[in-house]
Amino acid sequence: MAYSMTGFGRGEKVFETRKYNIELKSVNSRFCDISIRMPRIFNYLDADIRRVITDRLLRGKIDVYINYEDQGEAGQTVTVNTGLAKEYSSAAKAIADLTGRTDDFGVARLATMQDVLSVTQNEINEEQASKELLETLNIAIDGMLQMRKREGENLVVSILGKVDSLEAIRAEVVTRAPEVVEAYRQKLTNRINEILTGDQREFYDDSRLAAEVAVFADKCAIDEEMARLSSHFSQARKILAEDGSVGKKMDFLVQEINREVNTTGSKANDIEITSRVLTMKNLVEEIREQIQNLV
């Protein structure tokens, strides 16, 4: 079954005091374009994260958001900027001396001043963190794949419906094509009968009429185009039933379908076939837009 490139997935897992939260969002793209936002301590995992996403999601513009929290005592360290704290304290005392007010700039307030306290993440066990983060990432990918599958199934149903409509119109064109030649024959015959008198008609060579009709029939013959369209429609159904990446295959096939439809329109020389060709072109364009979102 085909998958859509649009999706969302979330993975959350706790290992002892370490909590990982990963969100994935994706939209359609010709390639696998990955943007990652994560704490700096995981920068060494950038290549591994991209490899896992590319292997499992194949295509799409994918935004990755990674949050990490260690609630254990060894997870974070609070550091005091002693120099800055002294400067704040001295400044507060100077203001008190200048204004004659009491210096009530307490420790609690001093600790809230900008950059006096800073929180840093302690070093992590890289091998352990790698295993834990990638496990959480795969949970998020599982969720995205489920959503992509649902969206893909809906897209395939819609596209197959349009392929059925194209097949039905193709059958109408096949039925109409011989009538075009016969209508042209009748039109020429009537025109000749109007122009030639009785005596002139007796000496007219009907082979000239047959030759003219034959030339017309050859110019507007669309048997090959109709046969190729039928083959393309069957191939589209086979591709859409496959698992994995089908978007690029369908993109190429739709180009071929569009080419045959355009050729049919240029050769038709009939208002009814032309009308059907216009309808087919609209359906092909709708399919082209939809397959841009298939993996």
Side-chain angles (χ1 to χ4, degrees), residues 17-18 68 70-77 120-124:
T17 60
R18 301 174 300 282
Y68 171 74
D70 189 345
Q71 299 176 342
E73 293 182 359
Q76 296 173 324
T77 299
T120 57
Q121 187 72 46
N122 293 338
E123 293 294 323
I124 62 174

Side-chain angles (χ1 to χ4, degrees), residues 7-11 22-26 63 139-145 147:
F8 174 83
R10 176 186 290 115
I22 301 178
E23 291 186 355
L24 305 176
K25 298 178 182 178
S26 72
D63 292 319
I139 293 173
I141 293 175
D142 289 341
M144 174 169 281
L145 286 174
M147 184 173 181

Side-chain angles (χ1 to χ4, degrees), residues 232-243:
H232 292 336
F233 297 153
S234 297
Q235 186 65 22
R237 295 186 179 96
K238 291 179 182 178
I239 292 174
L240 292 172
E242 294 176 2
D243 290 326

